[in-house]
């Protein structure tokens, strides 16, 4: 399109682009908090903490898009620092989630007879593909979250910006935390909706574990090659004159991981089609796995039980983080792009 301002377009893109990631992620969080504890025979460790996490995501997930633009020369340095600080704030609800969800699973593991410091882990329902897929998603998300701190850091980001590190990161977040959790949800939700038994629990378990292994290999190869060799994120690897043979071990590792992921995807579709086309129907309907709070008598504070202060906080943070920079860009708009044919 001729006559556009690429810098303004990029800013609008990431203003909506980063919140979109949380639009995908929050349903996974709902399952981790409200459904996984029930599936393991436990209870939600703390309802107030769960509410706090979702409010913090509402307030902090939108005004952080400029951390994708740390190297953009048209964005003033001060506003990049503001978004750097707000992005690091998102690590707080992630850490609360790690504590709360693990505590909820520990309650279930110990209720099932687990003893000792880690003995409860063996008592979790690892034979249930729905739980296994979601638990493996959480493990991969832990690595993705740690790597995300590098992306969010104003100075460290310079080393990995637009390198293979970036797709390695979002394959652990969107490609694992979200996707693998959705697989797990589908293993009870689709049978419930279709009123059919799951086609094959064993195949579903294989699917969850192959996705886990494939993503470990793929994301590790991409992370390493991006950090150690600064391999560009978008490269025609067979054609680019700057491609190096030193990249090969990690590229092969990533390719093997990708092939395993392809097999895993086929297994998932096989389980879903087999379930929907199953001739048998369920004798009893599947119950929604919604967990009860561990402390039902615990009163939720009023400030965690109302939208008003959190909506106001969110709007104010957006105005502070984006208002001045957008006003500046619109005031000094440069509609000079000649237009590009990208295909």
């Amino acid at each position: 399109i001729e006559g556009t301002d690429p810098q303004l377009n990029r800013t609008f893109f990431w203003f909506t682009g980063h919140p979109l990631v949380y639009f995908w992620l929050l349903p996974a969080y709902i399952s981790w908090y409200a459904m996984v504890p029930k599936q393991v025979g436990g209870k939600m460790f703390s309802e107030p903490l769960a509410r706090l996490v979702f409010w913090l995501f509402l307030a902090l997930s939108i005004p952080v898009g400029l951390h994708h633009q740390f190297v953009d020369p048209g964005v003033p340095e001060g506003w990049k620092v503001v978004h750097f600080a707000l992005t690091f704030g998102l690590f707080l609800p992630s850490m609360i989630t790690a504590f709360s969800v693990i505590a909820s699973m520990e309650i279930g593991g110990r209720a099932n007879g687990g003893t000792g410091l880690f003995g409860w882990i063996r008592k979790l329902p690892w034979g249930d593909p729905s739980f296994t897929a979601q638990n493996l998603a959480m493990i991969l998300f832990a690595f993705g979250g740690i790597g995300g701190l590098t992306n969010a850091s104003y100075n460290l980001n310079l080393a990995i910006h637009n390198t293979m590190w970036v797709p390695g990161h979002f394959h652990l977040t969107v490609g694992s935390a979200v996707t693998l959790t959705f697989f797990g949800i589908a293993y009870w939700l689709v049978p419930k909706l279709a009123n059919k038994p799951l086609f094959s629990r064993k195949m579903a378990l294989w699917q969850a574990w192959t996705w886990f292994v494939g993503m470990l290999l793929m994301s590790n190869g991409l992370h390493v090659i991006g950090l150690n060799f600064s391999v560009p994120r978008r490269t025609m690897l067979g054609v680019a004159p700057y491609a190096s043979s030193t990249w090969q071990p990690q590229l092969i590792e990533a390719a093997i991981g990708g092939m395993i992921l392809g097999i895993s995807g086929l297994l998932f579709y096989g389980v879903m089609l087999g379930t929907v086309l199953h001739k048998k129907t369920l004798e009893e309907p599947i119950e929604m796995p919604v967990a009860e709070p561990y402390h039902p008598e615990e009163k939720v504070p009023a400030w965690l039980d109302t939208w008003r202060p959190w909506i106001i906080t969110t709007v104010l943070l957006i105005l502070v983080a984006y208002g001045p920079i957008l006003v500046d860009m619109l005031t000094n708009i440069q509609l000079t792009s000649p237009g590009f044919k990208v295909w």
Side-chain angles (χ1 to χ4, degrees), residues 191 195-197 280-286:
N195 197 35
K196 304 284 185 68
K280 293 183 179 179
T281 57
L282 293 170
E283 296 180 1
E284 296 182 4
I286 296 175

Side-chain angles (χ1 to χ4, degrees), residues 247-275:
W247 303 354
Q248 289 305 315
Q250 287 78 24
L251 289 176
I252 293 171
E253 179 187 4
I256 293 173
M259 288 187 285
I260 296 173
L261 289 170
I263 294 170
S264 181
L266 292 174
L267 289 173
F268 174 73
Y269 283 114
V271 173
M272 290 295 98
L273 287 174
T275 300

Side-chain angles (χ1 to χ4, degrees), residues 116-129:
L117 188 59
F118 299 112
W120 59 272
I121 297 176
R122 294 195 301 271
K123 296 297 182 178
L124 296 174
W126 293 102
D128 179 357

Side-chain angles (χ1 to χ4, degrees), residues 122-161:
R122 294 195 301 271
K123 296 297 182 178
L124 296 174
W126 293 102
D128 179 357
S130 177
F131 162 75
T132 299
Q134 296 184 77
N135 200 327
L136 295 177
M138 296 179 210
I139 294 172
L140 290 173
F141 188 51
F143 293 108
I146 293 169
L149 291 178
T150 302
N151 301 354
S153 175
Y154 188 27
N155 52 349
L156 293 179
N157 178 77
L158 298 176
I160 51 88
H161 183 81

Side-chain angles (χ1 to χ4, degrees), residues 40-324:
V40 303
K43 297 182 178 182
M44 183 189 296
F45 174 72
S46 172
E47 185 177 348
L49 275 181
R51 289 172 181 256
L52 176 62
V53 164
F54 283 95
W55 288 129
L56 288 175
F57 276 134
L58 172 67
L60 295 174
S61 67
I62 302 175
V64 296
L66 290 185
H67 74 243
H68 289 273
Q69 298 175 255
F70 279 158
V71 302
D72 284 19
V75 180
E77 190 175 73
W79 295 109
K80 294 176 182 177
V81 173
V82 170
H83 282 241
F84 147 76
L86 290 172
T87 306
F88 263 68
L90 275 170
F91 197 62
L92 178 61
S94 296
M95 292 305 295
I96 295 174
T97 297
F99 171 77
S100 298
V101 174
I102 292 174
S104 298
M105 291 193 292
E106 183 177 354
I107 292 169
R110 294 196 182 281
N112 293 331
T115 58
L117 188 59
F118 299 112
W120 59 272
I121 297 176
R122 294 195 301 271
K123 296 297 182 178
L124 296 174
W126 293 102
D128 179 357
S130 177
F131 162 75
T132 299
Q134 296 184 77
N135 200 327
L136 295 177
M138 296 179 210
I139 294 172
L140 290 173
F141 188 51
F143 293 108
I146 293 169
L149 291 178
T150 302
N151 301 354
S153 175
Y154 188 27
N155 52 349
L156 293 179
N157 178 77
L158 298 176
I160 51 88
H161 183 81
N162 267 354
T163 70
M164 287 285 195
W165 171 286
V166 179
H169 165 70
F170 66 65
H171 275 81
L172 288 179
T173 50
V174 177
S176 295
V178 174
T179 308
L180 194 48
T181 295
F182 285 4
F183 289 157
I185 294 172
Y187 287 146
W188 68 261
L189 182 59
V190 172
K192 177 178 175 62
L193 295 176
N195 197 35
K196 304 284 185 68
L198 190 67
F199 174 67
S200 171
R201 289 172 64 94
K202 184 177 291 187
M203 186 184 294
L205 283 170
W206 271 102
Q207 187 275 320
W209 280 103
T210 49
W211 193 272
F212 177 75
V213 172
M215 198 60 77
L216 277 178
L217 292 172
M218 184 177 186
S219 65
N220 182 71
L222 297 177
H223 273 95
V224 171
I225 202 172
L227 180 63
N228 291 352
F229 302 106
S230 299
V231 178
R233 175 178 173 180
R234 301 176 181 89
T235 301
M236 293 181 67
L237 293 174
V239 178
Y242 51 81
S244 171
S245 60
T246 58
W247 303 354
Q248 289 305 315
Q250 287 78 24
L251 289 176
I252 293 171
E253 179 187 4
I256 293 173
M259 288 187 285
I260 296 173
L261 289 170
I263 294 170
S264 181
L266 292 174
L267 289 173
F268 174 73
Y269 283 114
V271 173
M272 290 295 98
L273 287 174
T275 300
V276 173
L277 300 176
H278 212 298
K279 293 182 179 180
K280 293 183 179 179
T281 57
L282 293 170
E283 296 180 1
E284 296 182 4
I286 296 175
E287 181 184 353
M288 283 280 289
V290 179
E292 299 176 357
Y294 186 57
H295 301 285
E297 73 286 351
E298 187 177 18
K299 186 176 181 181
V300 176
W303 59 279
L304 288 176
D305 200 30
T306 178
W307 283 84
R308 185 180 179 86
W310 295 100
I311 292 293
I312 293 174
T313 300
T314 302
V315 172
L316 288 176
L317 283 175
I318 292 172
L319 290 175
V320 169
Y322 270 107

